[in-house]
Amino acid sequence: METLAGVTRMRLVGGNLALDFLNTRAGPPVGPPDDDVLTGYPELVAWGMYAGALSEPEAKALRRRSRDDPGGAQAAFTRSLRIRDDLDEVFRAVAADRSPSVSVLARLRDDEADALGHARLDRGRAFSWTWRDDKTLARPLRPVVHAAVQLLTTGALNRIKGCGGCRFLFLDESKNRSRRWCSMDDCGTSEKIRRYVAARRTRASG
Ligand SMILES: [Zn+2]
């Protein structure tokens, strides 16, 4: 729980687990990110809990396991950054109406095959993949990878958008597909202020 405060610095505004995973890095719409809450394996676990991908007991078990196997935890963390880079490439391409590279899609397929290899089919109202039995250190990544593939295969691709004010991606679920900001409170407001100041300046000089 001690690292949870750090990861909650990033709002969950993506509307999809995979997009929220990309939004663990912040910064301007183009160019390199200037903030990153995924700084180590404990933060990956804390983020998984924050985003609802891990239960508290699962997070606790993973923290214990990572202390017993620091090398394995480091490998899982390195892998999570590679997966984030891959998903970043895929969804930024989709948001810009471009096709992701063949190689990145092949890696995503392998990650999904691995995720499903550790999943089980559980019956709720419908059947769904769960990772209740997965005790591996890569557990936090499984639902992220699966959410990405689900979104790509069954989602509305033209609703995947980049924020006008920052590098966050989100699923636009508004009726007329008019959402432009990750959040009205952040980027939406600063844009409103910018326009207001610009309009006042125009009036003052006119
Ligand atoms: Zn934004």
Side-chain angles (χ1 to χ4, degrees), residues 16-17 30 63 76 90 101 103 132 141 149 200:
N16 174 279
L17 187 65
V30 286
R63 278 196 290 266
V90 168
S101 70
S103 56
R132 285 198 290 147
L141 301 169
V149 172
R200 210 172 44 173

Side-chain angles (χ1 to χ4, degrees), residues 1 19 34 38-39 42 50 88 104 106 108 129 136 138 144 147 149 163 167 183 195-196 205:
M1 293 299 281
L19 299 182
D34 56 22
L38 286 193
T39 48
Y50 169 54
D88 208 87
V104 77
L108 181 55
W129 299 109
T136 65
V144 171
V149 172
C163 176
R167 77 191 310 281
S183 134
R195 270 194 242 156
Y196 172 76
S205 63

Side-chain angles (χ1 to χ4, degrees), residues 163 166 182 187:
C163 176
C166 76
C182 60
C187 292

Side-chain angles (χ1 to χ4, degrees), residues 31-50:
D34 56 22
D35 194 7
D36 187 350
V37 295
L38 286 193
T39 48
Y41 191 79
E43 285 73 18
L44 176 67
V45 172
W47 181 84
M49 238 183 76
Y50 169 54

Side-chain angles (χ1 to χ4, degrees), residues 83-132:
I83 287 177
R84 188 175 61 175
D85 282 343
D86 282 355
L87 296 183
D88 208 87
E89 184 186 332
V90 168
F91 285 106
R92 245 163 253 287
V94 170
D97 206 17
R98 285 183 285 107
S99 288
S101 70
V102 172
S103 56
V104 77
L105 291 175
R107 284 198 298 277
L108 181 55
R109 173 207 56 204
D110 291 346
D111 288 323
E112 170 76 336
D114 187 40
L116 294 185
H118 288 83
R120 53 183 265 182
L121 269 173
D122 276 338
R123 183 170 191 162
R125 265 195 310 175
F127 284 90
S128 64
W129 299 109
T130 74
W131 286 269
R132 285 198 290 147

Side-chain angles (χ1 to χ4, degrees), residues 147-199:
V149 172
Q150 281 284 100
L151 182 54
L152 289 172
T153 54
T154 64
L157 297 185
N158 56 7
R159 288 185 181 273
I160 299 167
K161 295 182 179 178
C163 176
C166 76
R167 77 191 310 281
F168 276 15
L169 295 180
F170 59 83
L171 195 58
D172 178 4
E173 284 168 317
S174 66
K175 213 179 246 174
N176 50 3
R177 302 180 191 213
S178 59
R179 184 174 160 193
R180 294 175 59 202
W181 316 109
C182 60
S183 134
M184 270 323 286
D185 295 341
D186 295 329
C187 292
T189 303
S190 46
E191 171 66 10
K192 260 194 293 187
I193 293 169
R194 195 189 63 73
R195 270 194 242 156
Y196 172 76
V197 170

